[in-house]
Amino acid sequence: MGLPPEVLKKVKLLELNTRKLVNNLFAGEYHTAFKGQGMTFADFREYVPGDDVRSISWPLTARTGKTFIKTFEEERELTLIIAVDVSGSSDFGTGPYFKGEVMTHMAALLAFSAVKNNDQIGLLLFSDQVEHFVPPKKGRGHVQRLLRDLYYYKPKSHNTKLSNGFSFLQGALKKRATIFVFSDFQDEGFDQSLRLLGRKHDVVACVVNDAAEYSLPSMGVIEVQDAETGEVLTVDTSSASFRKEYEQAVQARKETRDKLLRKAQVDRVDVKSSEDFIDPLVAFFKKRK
């Protein structure tokens, strides 16, 4: 099925904007932050004082009468998996972008940085089920396909069950990968499956929030709809006691989420949808170095 022209235009514009960022800033930070999978033999060279004697090639040294050592290069190629929460709560935002759009832009930055480093890239879209999975491959055309999927895919479910996505990746990925999980992590009981995934792979939780989720403005009597269940409630936001109860409940949910992420023992990046989302990633990469 062909893609609508507005979607193709959006993907092309995003690629142009993202490529400029990648070339100017991002790719170098990405490259140095993530190590390769091992070391491979590169060549021989003559021994100089200070070299590790364990690297001496004794057969070549015996043949030539000169001391040679083996040199090695890091295996640079990585497998990058971008896992994006497409549940209903991602369709919220009070800044220039919804949370889901921020996740897409961050995913694009990572994808183009990965392709510049000749890494393989795969994509998982998940809600309370595995919505869409693209196995990792190389190439700019593959990245464009992933971005089209990110923009065009219509989730079958609005609900969230993070552990289902994590368990799927645990079974689907045979080789060690670097996995970026983009979500607001508004769920329960995901810590064990995330921790198991983190034991086998290099996992980074990118927690995308919106400031309005934590502080309710006074707007009188309004109707609010739960993005995941569709439930509609009428609330009086002018009531100070209601706003206080709301903020206490939200704070409690946030503390529970943070506790689960700590128990999962994976790296974490916090991003606010109303603010610049590039700086937190760059700061994380610098920290990883």
Side-chain angles (χ1 to χ4, degrees):
M1 183 175 67
L3 291 169
E6 65 270 17
V7 174
L8 287 171
K9 185 178 178 182
K10 200 181 234 185
V11 170
K12 193 66 184 171
L13 185 64
L14 179 60
E15 181 182 0
L16 290 172
N17 292 338
T18 303
R19 192 186 296 171
K20 189 174 180 181
L21 263 173
V22 167
N23 290 339
N24 292 347
L25 169 73
F26 213 74
E29 301 291 352
Y30 168 92
H31 179 91
T32 52
F34 295 98
K35 300 297 182 186
Q37 301 299 299
M39 304 297 286
T40 55
F41 170 74
D43 203 352
F44 296 102
R45 67 168 173 79
E46 280 197 54
Y47 175 87
V48 295
D51 284 338
D52 188 345
V53 294
R54 291 174 297 181
S55 298
I56 292 175
S57 171
W58 295 111
L60 184 59
T61 298
R63 280 204 312 272
T64 62
K66 295 180 180 179
T67 306
F68 280 87
I69 67 166
K70 298 175 184 176
T71 60
F72 296 86
E73 290 179 351
E74 178 191 352
E75 287 183 28
R76 176 54 238 175
E77 182 182 305
L78 295 176
T79 297
L80 174 71
I81 301 294
I82 297 167
V84 183
D85 179 357
V86 292
S87 61
S89 63
S90 64
D91 292 328
F92 178 81
T94 53
Y97 303 113
F98 287 168
K99 289 188 290 185
E101 290 177 306
V102 171
M103 295 178 198
T104 299
H105 294 337
M106 294 174 75
L109 274 174
L110 286 172
F112 283 121
S113 297
V115 81
K116 194 175 175 70
N117 276 292
N118 202 34
D119 294 340
Q120 295 190 86
I121 310 124
L123 175 69
L124 171 69
L125 305 179
F126 65 97
S127 53
D128 60 347
Q129 61 191 39
V130 173
E131 295 274 356
H132 182 61
F133 179 64
V134 183
K137 281 177 61 179
K138 293 184 182 182
R140 188 168 297 280
H142 179 65
V143 170
Q144 289 173 334
R145 181 252 169 111
L146 298 187
L147 291 177
R148 288 196 295 268
D149 291 347
L150 273 167
Y151 268 117
Y152 192 60
Y153 185 84
K154 301 297 182 189
K156 299 180 183 70
S157 173
H158 293 293
N159 299 322
T160 307
K161 190 68 177 173
L162 296 173
S163 58
N164 287 345
F166 302 151
S167 297
F168 171 81
L169 288 176
Q170 183 81 344
L173 301 175
K174 304 308 177 188
K175 291 173 62 179
R176 180 174 170 82
T178 298
I179 304 171
F180 275 81
V181 181
F182 294 98
S183 176
D184 52 17
F185 289 85
Q186 292 186 10
D187 193 16
E188 299 174 355
F190 59 80
D191 53 308
Q192 186 175 4
S193 57
L194 183 56
R195 186 173 180 177
L196 285 173
L197 189 65
R199 284 180 181 172
K200 185 179 177 183
H201 304 281
D202 186 0
V203 179
V204 183
C206 293
V207 186
V208 181
N209 301 299
D210 190 281
E213 293 173 305
Y214 298 102
S215 180
L216 196 64
S218 177
M219 298 180 292
V221 178
I222 61 169
E223 283 190 343
V224 293
Q225 183 176 29
D226 188 301
E228 299 199 357
T229 65
E231 183 182 3
V232 177
L233 295 174
T234 302
V235 298
D236 183 6
T237 60
S238 62
S239 165
S241 61
F242 172 79
R243 291 202 308 274
K244 185 178 179 181
E245 284 180 20
Y246 170 84
E247 288 168 13
Q248 285 174 342
V250 169
Q251 183 62 29
R253 193 166 70 227
K254 176 181 179 295
E255 289 171 1
T256 299
R257 179 199 67 191
D258 292 347
K259 182 180 178 182
L260 292 173
L261 283 167
R262 284 194 300 272
K263 286 174 69 177
Q265 297 180 349
V266 297
D267 284 337
R268 174 174 173 173
V269 181
D270 281 281
V271 180
K272 294 179 181 176
S273 62
S274 57
E275 298 178 7
D276 184 280
F277 52 82
I278 298 163
D279 288 346
L281 268 182
V282 172
F284 169 71
F285 287 168
K286 289 182 184 293
K287 183 181 175 185
R288 279 292 292 256
K289 281 196 285 188

